[in-house]
Amino acid sequence: MKTFYLTTPRYYVNARPHLGHTYTTVVADCLSRYKKMQGFEVCLLTGTDEHGQNIERAAATQGTTPNELANNITKAYQKLWSRYGIEYDQFIRTTEERHHAGASEIFKRAAQNGFIYKGEYSGWYCISCNLFAPESAMAPNCEVCGRPTERVTEESYFFRLSQFQQKLLDHYEQNPNFIMPPSRRNEVVSFVAGGLKDLSISRTSVKWGIPVPGDPNHVIYVWFDALVGYLTGIGFGNGVNKENFGKFWPAQVQLVGKDILRFHAVYWPAFLMAAGLALPRQVFAHGWWLKDEVKMSKSRGNVIDPILLLEHFGSDAVRYFLLREVPLGLDGSFSYEALIQRVNSDLANDFGNLVSRTLTLISKNFANTIPYPSAFEARRALDKEIEQATLDAVKAYQGYMDELAFSKALESVWELLSRANKYINESAPWALTEDFSLRPRLATVLYTSTEVIRIATILLAPVMPESCKLVWKQLGIRAELSSQRIDQLKWGGLPVGGTIGVINAVFPRLDKKILLDKLFQASIEETPAKESKLEKGTEPEKKSSASPAVITPIASSGQQSDSGVVGNSITIDDFAKVELRVAQILSAESVQGADKLLKLMVDLGTETRQILAGIAKYYSPETLVGKKIVIVANLQPRKMRGLDSNGMLLAASVGDEGRPVLATFLEDVPNGTKLK
Ligand code: MSP
């Protein structure tokens, strides 16, 4: 049997998963299911990257151990994947024994082959990205995440990366699909052509890692450690599933975000060459999901919570949206409005409607039985045209899926669904139900439409596995949906005479206004510190929770302005638009039915205001009375739980959960004083 090995990155365990992490994994799962439905034996590997200084620091900030933090966050990932229907075959944690054995083995092989030597590293290092920065007099900001780097001077083992420059360039040239998409490939080629320096691959000041074989004062550089997980997860260097390594390596596709492409397209192939192992066939770099025009990341507080989405949309709608909305490789802006629009127009109107109108007509006119596409006189050219359109869609879909062009693949299915809906309108089956002599025609139209649904459901199964199973059940087909072969699809496979199942709306329409309101409430109440950040885009991304807390307005009462943002900074004029004032809390009480909210009355010197704040979990009302705090005074008022909120207060957002700590003053300040 043909095999297909594909991987996601190993996710850091310093914070809970957000939509960005969900994206890579959904893409991988969709590809894996598609390949299985093409008859491949597939291995999908994912997992967690648990070592290194960023995890050590995050644990210290959260008052826990790296091990405990890693266990908790890994569980959160695994639970999330199961709720999103991710069928991974291997989950590798870099703290597992089987991984340690394999990582040490690769290190030893590279050393034996003469590619590792001992020296001293002195230079700048980004703790968050685990990336070394070019030499300079002052600490430069990390070129990937923009945060300040730190000075590291210590004994280190070095990897002779400089010796791989030409070998890498040759490999890129001989394997034009090794780095995809092509624009990213060009970036990597110029980087490598610019010259490669040897790479420090061990640390003595970090303890949370895998010891260097034979020199336990050093731990292996976290990227070397994590990358090697692609091998150890399928049995390299350990006794677990040993036979899998020979069967699956080299990987066909390694999916990564564009921010970690260099590690995968430069360091990783060089490590493999040094150890004498084959290189993966392809590294595909996808783009970022942005929120408010900047990369979604925990430290910015602009992340979309994949669990919140599950609760309001269900996993399949989110999977569909992620794959359809943005071509793989490009950045995409997330908005709830766009998601709702996709659900209502594509899923409820186009697909859902086609299913329900077709099956309802079968139920009413053919006693729930799939009718025979009848005799010759009932056949029209139109029917043949639909058959051809279906076969064309199957072909286009497969072509695009093979190139990982998921969005285009889905577009071709939607063209077919629109064509089928049009076919029903043109054929007007409802007008054929009265006259018995028209029944052959009615049967043919309904058979044709149901056959389109059968084939579309098979094509959509990798993207929306659960919903497609429900549609499949309604079609009444006995054979398992997942056992259908996409590469062998033919027109006419629908079993006639079969009984259809109970008809239910698989994709109900969403009420945009009600849903948006619910999502807004939930975002304030569940994680008070994560929405409506004042410092839009000013904070570096990928920061570990160990970094200083961010001052965050709590309980938004208005919308952010998008104007004036240049890259990651705003102008002084933008800042001046925000009216920050000193307010004294006169009273505080809980809000019935909202256990996260407190209702505060605050004195602003010239007026008294009511503000609702999502801090009830962290502050009891009586401890707040009399405190002087900072509020954003010029936000539009809004209603929450039927109560007016007129402003928002500022708090630091601390740790992984974003615990709010109110901003206040060392000295007494008159109420209403402006902050600037
Ligand atoms: N631990 C490393 C990877 C080691 S693999 C040998 C790492 N982890 S991460 O948790 O920071 O990121 C994992 C993946 O999530 C990366 O591919 C990254 O691009 C992706 N995403 C994180 N935020 C994202 C978005 N906002 N949008 C899309 N993907 C993003 O890097």
Side-chain angles (χ1 to χ4, degrees), residues 100-114:
H100 284 206
S104 308
E105 176 61 22
I106 294 281
F107 196 99
K108 275 192 242 163
R109 284 198 193 181
Q112 275 157 12
N113 293 340

Side-chain angles (χ1 to χ4, degrees), residues 417-475:
L417 295 174
S418 305
R419 183 66 197 92
N421 272 315
K422 198 165 154 236
Y423 167 74
I424 295 206
N425 295 344
E426 289 162 350
S427 312
W430 45 86
L432 307 171
T433 59
E434 298 303 320
D435 183 344
F436 199 75
S437 71
L438 297 176
R439 278 180 75 79
R441 179 69 200 140
L442 178 63
T444 304
V445 171
L446 294 180
Y447 179 90
T448 304
S449 168
T450 314
E451 178 60 347
V452 172
I453 295 171
R454 180 186 75 91
I455 290 177
T457 306
I458 294 172
L459 299 181
L460 295 176
V463 178
M464 297 185 287
E466 287 312 310
S467 316
C468 288
K469 254 193 233 160
L470 296 177
V471 175
W472 197 248
K473 213 166 155 202
Q474 294 188 27
L475 293 176

Side-chain angles (χ1 to χ4, degrees), residues 1 10 23 152 247 287 387 400 450 469 487 534 541 550:
M1 200 183 208
R10 232 82 354 84
Y23 181 49
V152 172
K247 189 156 137 191
E387 179 180 331
Y400 288 130
T450 314
K469 254 193 233 160
D487 55 331
L534 180 63
E541 68 206 27
V550 185

Side-chain angles (χ1 to χ4, degrees), residues 23-24 178-185 187-188 253-262 264-265 282-288 327-331 404:
Y23 181 49
T24 325
F178 177 63
I179 302 168
M180 288 296 276
S183 55
R184 298 270 162 233
R185 173 179 184 273
E187 277 171 22
V188 173
V253 179
Q254 302 212 266
L255 289 161
V256 299
K258 64 181 184 181
D259 48 330
I260 58 170
L261 178 61
R262 189 184 303 168
H264 285 83
Q282 183 171 89
V283 177
F284 198 113
H286 64 71
W288 287 337
L328 195 74
L330 301 185
D331 289 348
L404 311 199

Side-chain angles (χ1 to χ4, degrees), residues 10-14 48-58 66-67 69-70 74 92-101 103-104 125 127-130 203 206-211 219-227 229:
R10 232 82 354 84
Y11 301 102
Y12 284 137
V13 289
N14 54 351
T48 39
D49 184 357
E50 307 187 8
H51 289 132
Q53 218 166 347
N54 52 349
I55 314 299
E56 258 178 357
R57 285 196 184 175
N67 197 30
L69 179 64
T74 298
I92 182 84
R93 301 181 58 177
T94 56
T95 47
E96 284 177 68
E97 189 43 54
R98 63 172 171 151
H99 173 70
H100 284 206
S104 308
Y125 187 72
I127 306 281
S128 288
C129 296
N130 290 303
R203 302 288 307 273
V206 179
K207 296 289 162 255
W208 181 235
I210 302 176
V219 298
I220 297 178
Y221 173 42
V222 65
W223 270 101
F224 190 99
D225 168 350
L227 286 162

Side-chain angles (χ1 to χ4, degrees), residues 182-364:
S183 55
R184 298 270 162 233
R185 173 179 184 273
N186 298 342
E187 277 171 22
V188 173
V189 169
S190 359
F191 173 77
V192 174
L196 293 176
K197 284 207 179 113
D198 289 351
L199 181 71
S200 159
I201 51 159
S202 77
R203 302 288 307 273
T204 52
S205 57
V206 179
K207 296 289 162 255
W208 181 235
I210 302 176
V212 164
D215 197 348
N217 283 337
H218 290 249
V219 298
I220 297 178
Y221 173 42
V222 65
W223 270 101
F224 190 99
D225 168 350
L227 286 162
V228 165
Y230 295 126
L231 308 173
T232 59
I234 50 166
F236 176 85
N238 56 55
V240 191
N241 291 331
K242 238 177 20 208
E243 67 290 352
N244 263 355
F245 183 68
K247 189 156 137 191
F248 287 112
W249 190 257
Q252 296 297 320
V253 179
Q254 302 212 266
L255 289 161
V256 299
K258 64 181 184 181
D259 48 330
I260 58 170
L261 178 61
R262 189 184 303 168
F263 300 102
H264 285 83
V266 182
Y267 299 175
W268 176 224
F271 294 158
L272 287 167
M273 286 179 194
L277 292 170
L279 307 197
R281 302 267 181 258
Q282 183 171 89
V283 177
F284 198 113
H286 64 71
W288 287 337
W289 281 96
L290 314 176
K291 185 82 182 73
D292 306 326
E293 292 130 57
V294 283
K295 183 189 176 204
M296 200 180 283
S297 75
K298 177 75 191 171
S299 55
R300 280 213 175 92
N302 64 347
V303 295
I304 296 293
D305 178 2
I307 296 183
L308 185 72
L309 292 184
L310 268 180
E311 283 159 5
H312 290 89
F313 296 89
S315 61
D316 280 354
V318 181
R319 289 172 64 112
Y320 172 72
F321 176 79
L322 292 176
L323 291 161
R324 173 73 197 263
E325 191 71 2
V326 178
L328 195 74
L330 301 185
D331 289 348
S333 269
F334 179 87
S335 79
Y336 291 121
E337 286 84 349
L339 173 52
I340 295 171
Q341 169 72 15
R342 283 278 174 208
V343 171
N344 284 345
S345 108
D346 300 9
L347 301 183
N349 276 5
D350 299 340
F351 189 27
N353 203 20
L354 179 67
V355 175
S356 59
R357 70 206 291 216
T358 306
L359 295 188
T360 305
L361 281 162
I362 291 181
S363 159
K364 284 196 180 142

